[in-house]
Amino acid sequence: SGRNWECDRGFQKSGDSCVAVDIPANGYLDHTGHKWACNRGYRKSSRSCVAVEVPANAHLDYSGNGWSCDPGYKRRGESCSATDG
């Protein structure tokens, strides 16, 4: 019909045309090929990727875009403190 079309990988629709996906530092083209995501250890913040700040007694979580407290520690706000026991 001429109405359904897709942009090539690395491009996204903008009106009636395709424009290159603007990938920020520490980012990559995601699995769709039309959007970007942040590398492990970084998270999206507006149109950029910023480093995940991991507090003492914590580690990057499974997603790589956040953090979790180490065993024996519990999250309290933006830090980890020892659990009783």
Side-chain angles (χ1 to χ4, degrees):
S1 69
R3 292 182 190 187
N4 295 325
W5 54 276
E6 285 187 18
C7 296
D8 290 339
R9 181 171 174 78
F11 293 84
Q12 60 189 6
K13 285 185 179 183
S14 179
D16 291 334
S17 62
C18 295
V19 296
V21 176
D22 187 17
I23 302 171
N26 299 304
Y28 63 93
L29 194 61
D30 76 0
H31 69 281
T32 68
H34 305 294
K35 297 178 184 178
W36 59 270
C38 294
N39 293 333
R40 182 170 175 78
Y42 294 85
R43 62 177 177 76
K44 278 188 175 186
S45 179
S46 187
R47 309 192 106 208
S48 64
C49 293
V50 297
V52 175
E53 293 182 31
V54 180
N57 305 308
H59 56 274
L60 282 176
D61 65 13
Y62 69 94
S63 73
N65 303 115
W67 57 270
S68 297
C69 293
D70 293 339
Y73 293 86
K74 184 175 182 178
R75 188 171 187 151
R76 300 208 195 288
E78 293 301 309
S79 64
C80 295
S81 58
T83 56
D84 294 332

